[in-house]
């Protein structure tokens, strides 16, 4: 296999630097997420509290994302990332110190989650808008596939390491390790050649600029329809939010098993992303997108009915594979349809959908699990996703009929 032809995005120096920095940083973030979910469940013994973590992660996104997108389309995106990464590291240190000195409680965890999520809200549009500037247009899908692999590799190593580290070094030290991991992405930004400036015309941050972003998204059916599909599929099928409940109370596998369950969807996602990068051309991405989300829903249902660790692992593997393919296609379709000068604002609108779905879904899953139990809550979510897929397929033919060929690599 010719590596340059299969993975051309890796041969762009700036993309390679950002990719590696994010890999290390996101691994630390994934470790922290496992530790945080485990800690809140240990403190409260409540599925509702797990759901509230999702709600508090989403609220800042709903409030600030449109402003964040507008800012990322005006100001230097590298400078924005320097600030947001530093702030998130500071909150990780705060969590670590409070945990080590046994001064942590559920309200403090919720408050820090909200504040950290505000920083993340301003971080994401700048980071996603910067990536397409680091590779040529014909290699963007390949870059999206490699980014998906990067996210999922971190989501394999992070949860597995986090689950093992909970017993070995405690959640407080995991938070401090995550704080150190932010140095990797800050260092990558320092050594990148790209200055971080927005390419194309810019205008001051204003309501009119924010409104321009909303109007643009509304004018592109393929953009807003994929956002809608993203929201409803992840809102209903948020099985991963209840993994601590399954690990502790149903499968009885403890923190070590917890880490491997969190890693299962990421293993499936990495293999699926590698397959997309290797295939080269996807001629009917609309249909492939719908099929991949169907696999995601079926895996969710299987996880809900499973009482065996191996079957649960396999079901989550299927969830990750389906989600990975759909995410790559959705992101590529939207980036190709959006010019750089408005890309941050498009991403900020998308954040409400792709972060709102899983985070509100986590809250919904926690409330439903408290009422009917974790397994039934997950099964209901998977069925809801299948219904959403059917609705979108029937009512918005733009997606199923989308035939613009997507190229994920340069092939012979």
């Amino acid at each position: 296999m010719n590596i340059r032809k299969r993975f051309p995005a890796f041969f762009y120096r700036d993309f390679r630097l950002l990719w590696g920095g994010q890999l290390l940083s996101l691994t630390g973030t994934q470790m922290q997420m496992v530790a945080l979910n485990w800690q809140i469940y240990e403190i409260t013994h409540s599925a509702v509290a797990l759901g509230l973590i999702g709600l508090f992660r989403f609220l800042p996104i709903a409030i600030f994302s449109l402003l964040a997108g507008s800012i990322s389309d005006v100001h230097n995106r590298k400078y924005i990332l320097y600030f947001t990464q530093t702030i998130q590291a500071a909150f990780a240190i705060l969590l670590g110190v409070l945990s080590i000195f046994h001064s942590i409680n559920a309200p403090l965890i919720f408050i820090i989650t909200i504040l950290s999520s505000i920083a993340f809200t301003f971080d994401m549009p700048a980071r996603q808008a910067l990536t397409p500037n680091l590779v040529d247009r014909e290699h963007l899908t390949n870059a999206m596939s490699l980014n998906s692999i990067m996210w999922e590799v971190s989501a394999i190593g992070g949860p597995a390491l986090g689950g093992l580290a909970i017993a070995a070094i405690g959640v407080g030290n995991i938070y401090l390790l995550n704080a150190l991991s932010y140095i990797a992405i800050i260092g990558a930004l320092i050594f990148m050649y790209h200055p971080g400036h927005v390419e194309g015309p810019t205008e001051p941050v204003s309501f009119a600029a924010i409104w321009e972003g909303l109007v643009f998204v509304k004018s592109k059916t393929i953009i807003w329809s994929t956002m809608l599909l993203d929201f409803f599929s992840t809102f209903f099928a948020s099985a991963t939010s209840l993994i601590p409940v399954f690990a502790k109370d149903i499968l009885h596998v403890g923190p070590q098993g917890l880490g491997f369950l969190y890693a299962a969807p990421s293993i499936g996602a990495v293999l699926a992303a590698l397959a997309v990068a290797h295939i080269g051309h996807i001629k009917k991405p609309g249909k492939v997108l719908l099929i991949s989300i169907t696999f995601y829903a079926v895996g969710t249902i299987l996880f809900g009915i499973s009482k065996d660790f191996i079957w649960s692992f396999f079901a989550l593997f299927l969830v990750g594979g389906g989600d990975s393919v759909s995410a790559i296609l959705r992101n590529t379709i939207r980036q190709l349809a959006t010019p750089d000068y408005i890309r941050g604002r498009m991403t900020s609108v998308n954040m409400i959908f792709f972060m709102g779905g899983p985070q509100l879904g986590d809250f919904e899953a926690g409330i439903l699990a408290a009422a009917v139990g974790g397994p039934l809550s997950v099964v209901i979510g998977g069925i809801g996703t299948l219904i959403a897929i059917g609705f979108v397929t029937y009512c918005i033919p733009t997606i199923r009929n989308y035939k613009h060929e997507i190229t994920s690599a340069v092939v012979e």
Side-chain angles (χ1 to χ4, degrees):
M1 180 182 69
N2 189 319
I3 299 297
R4 182 178 288 274
K5 290 184 178 294
R6 291 299 180 185
F7 305 108
F10 266 152
F11 291 86
Y12 294 86
R13 179 183 179 276
D14 284 355
F15 175 80
R16 192 167 61 247
L17 278 171
L18 186 61
W19 192 93
Q22 287 185 101
L23 176 62
L24 292 175
S25 179
L26 288 170
T27 299
T29 299
Q30 292 289 338
M31 291 178 66
Q32 174 165 308
M33 289 179 66
V34 172
L36 188 70
N37 286 343
W38 183 263
Q39 186 177 42
I40 196 69
Y41 193 63
E42 282 278 280
I43 292 173
T44 65
H45 302 286
S46 169
V48 173
L50 282 171
L52 285 172
I53 289 290
L55 178 63
F56 292 142
R57 283 175 180 152
F58 170 69
L59 287 177
I61 294 171
I63 296 170
F64 296 109
S65 65
L66 296 178
L67 174 63
S70 185
I71 288 174
S72 73
D73 281 340
V74 175
H75 298 286
N76 187 296
R77 289 161 178 166
K78 287 176 66 174
Y79 293 164
I80 294 173
L81 292 173
Y82 288 139
F83 181 75
T84 56
Q85 293 288 307
T86 302
I87 292 296
Q88 290 178 87
F91 285 126
I93 292 172
L94 180 59
L95 276 172
V97 171
L98 290 174
S99 298
I100 289 172
F101 287 97
H102 306 289
S103 300
I104 198 73
N105 54 46
L108 280 174
I109 290 175
F110 293 146
I111 291 170
I112 295 172
T113 296
I114 292 172
L115 295 175
S116 183
S117 184
I118 293 174
F120 173 82
T121 301
F122 286 86
D123 180 280
M124 181 62 75
R127 184 143 44 96
Q128 288 203 352
L130 179 63
T131 299
N133 299 141
L134 308 182
V135 300
D136 292 339
R137 183 179 178 87
E138 64 266 27
H139 297 147
L140 181 58
T141 306
N142 189 259
M144 293 296 104
S145 297
L146 291 172
N147 271 349
S148 179
I149 292 170
M150 172 264 296
W151 277 84
E152 301 303 343
V153 166
S154 68
I156 293 171
L161 291 171
L164 295 171
I166 287 173
I169 63 174
V171 294
N173 287 313
I174 293 175
Y175 297 143
L176 296 181
L177 283 175
N178 179 45
L180 288 175
S181 76
Y182 286 101
I183 296 174
I185 194 167
I186 293 173
L189 292 167
I190 290 172
F191 287 104
M192 282 170 51
Y193 290 147
H194 192 281
H197 299 310
V198 179
E199 298 179 2
T202 62
E203 57 183 279
V205 176
S206 64
F207 178 79
I210 294 173
W211 183 253
E212 183 185 11
L214 292 171
V215 171
F216 172 80
V217 170
K218 182 178 181 295
S219 71
K220 300 285 187 178
T221 302
I222 192 60
I223 291 181
W224 66 257
S225 61
T226 55
M227 290 179 180
L228 192 66
L229 184 63
D230 194 358
F231 177 84
F232 283 111
S233 61
T234 54
F235 174 79
F236 288 116
S238 295
T240 53
S241 66
L242 296 177
I243 285 179
V245 177
F246 280 79
K248 189 177 181 69
D249 300 332
I250 296 173
L251 301 175
H252 307 290
V253 292
Q256 291 81 7
L258 172 77
F260 287 110
L261 287 174
Y262 268 117
S266 300
I267 295 173
V270 167
L271 294 179
L274 283 170
V276 172
H278 182 76
I279 287 171
H281 298 278
I282 300 175
K283 295 183 178 180
K284 297 181 179 179
K287 290 183 178 179
V288 175
L289 171 60
L290 293 169
I291 292 171
S292 64
I293 299 178
T294 301
F295 274 100
Y296 173 77
V298 170
T300 299
I301 295 171
L302 291 176
F303 177 69
I305 63 178
S306 173
K307 299 296 187 294
D308 176 78
F309 177 77
I310 299 299
W311 277 108
S312 297
F313 187 94
F314 170 76
L316 290 172
F317 175 93
L318 191 62
V319 166
D323 187 46
S324 178
V325 174
S326 67
I328 292 168
L329 295 178
R330 292 192 310 267
N331 288 335
T332 304
I333 289 168
R334 289 191 287 257
Q335 295 289 1
L336 289 174
T338 307
D340 187 60
Y341 78 92
I342 204 169
R343 191 169 275 138
R345 280 167 285 177
M346 183 279 291
T347 301
S348 70
V349 176
N350 185 43
M351 278 181 64
I352 297 175
F353 289 88
F354 90 85
M355 292 298 296
Q359 303 298 355
L360 290 178
D362 287 351
F363 179 64
E364 173 270 334
I367 297 296
L368 192 57
V372 302
L376 185 56
S377 170
V378 171
V379 171
I380 292 173
I383 294 172
T385 301
L386 289 176
I387 295 172
I389 295 168
F391 175 83
V392 170
T393 302
Y394 179 77
C395 296
I396 311 176
T398 300
I399 295 181
R400 70 172 186 268
N401 294 330
Y402 185 80
K403 296 180 180 179
H404 180 77
E405 185 173 345
I406 283 181
T407 303
S408 63
V410 177
V411 294
E412 298 176 311

